[in-house]
Amino acid sequence: MDKHPKRTHYPTYDVMSEKNEWDPVTQQVLFTRIHPSESSILTPDMKRTLQALAKTLFPSHLGEQTLSLTMVLDQRLTAKKLKAFPKGANFSKELIILKGLTFMEQEAITEHGKTFYLLDEKTRNELVRKWRSSDGDPSIWAEVHSDLFFSTVSAEIVKIIYSDPAIWSDIGYGGPAFPRGYYAFGPHQFDEWEAKPHGENLI
């Protein structure tokens, strides 16, 4: 949860300029991801809490996220893509996330009289550190322990962050290989369409 300045080695690279090289199925997947449909499982307060949590957990990833994290996760929940059970858990990932967001708000209000997303950064960080260590109020986190919630929701947030083409551009990822493929594998070797580190002398 430490802050780091934004820094990219690929300031002029835009992976989406190559989107026509991807197969139609991949293009459709990316379009759906960038333009997610509005869903209804997450309440407005849950969405605000999730957005504040994402900023607290991952403040230092490169680039500015352009995907609506809350809408993408809401879409995945609506499509029942999180029905699997984590190892040893009594609830599916979907229920763990929904219950956990509710329990976060309950404890934030109990301790500080405010919903989580209205708390200042320092207080949010303190609560998250406590919850990640499973030190939350046991009467609130009885059904789903806070550490299980955070391991589950963190994994889903990371997937969404790094499925964002804007982040791909900032980290120099050239996007899906199919059908074009990657051929240059040597040191300082790049395929013509790949991102080149800015200002680096390439061989």
Side-chain angles (χ1 to χ4, degrees), residues 52-106:
L53 176 61
K55 290 179 180 179
T56 302
L57 289 174
F58 303 105
S60 61
H61 65 80
L62 287 173
E64 298 297 329
Q65 186 182 332
T66 59
L67 290 184
S68 171
L69 185 147
T70 55
M71 288 182 66
V72 173
L73 183 55
D74 207 0
Q75 188 179 60
R76 288 177 56 79
L77 291 166
T78 301
K80 303 299 181 184
K81 292 185 177 181
L82 300 178
K83 299 300 289 183
F85 284 60
K87 185 177 181 179
N90 296 322
F91 296 102
S92 66
K93 293 179 181 180
E94 174 186 338
L95 287 178
I96 289 170
I97 291 172
L98 294 177
K99 288 178 179 291
L101 290 172
T102 300
F103 298 160
M104 280 180 59
E105 287 303 294
Q106 289 177 3

Side-chain angles (χ1 to χ4, degrees), residues 1 3 52-53 55-57 104-105 107-132 150:
M1 294 182 290
K3 289 185 176 180
L53 176 61
K55 290 179 180 179
T56 302
L57 289 174
M104 280 180 59
E105 287 303 294
E107 188 160 3
I109 291 172
T110 299
E111 283 200 11
H112 303 284
K114 292 182 180 180
T115 56
F116 180 80
Y117 58 84
L118 291 180
L119 297 173
D120 60 72
E121 183 179 2
K122 180 176 181 292
T123 305
R124 288 202 307 265
N125 283 333
E126 290 172 352
L127 280 173
V128 167
R129 288 191 184 96
K130 179 173 73 169
W131 291 332
R132 289 176 71 178
F150 274 94

Side-chain angles (χ1 to χ4, degrees), residues 16-68:
M16 292 301 289
S17 67
E18 298 289 326
K19 65 182 179 181
N20 291 333
E21 297 295 330
W22 304 333
D23 66 285
V25 173
T26 299
Q27 291 183 42
Q28 181 58 43
V29 168
L30 264 293
F31 180 84
T32 303
R33 187 181 299 164
I34 296 170
H35 305 284
S37 57
E38 190 69 51
S39 302
S40 59
I41 287 183
L42 296 177
T43 66
D45 274 347
M46 282 180 170
K47 291 179 180 179
R48 295 185 187 101
T49 297
L50 180 62
Q51 197 68 47
L53 176 61
K55 290 179 180 179
T56 302
L57 289 174
F58 303 105
S60 61
H61 65 80
L62 287 173
E64 298 297 329
Q65 186 182 332
T66 59
L67 290 184
S68 171

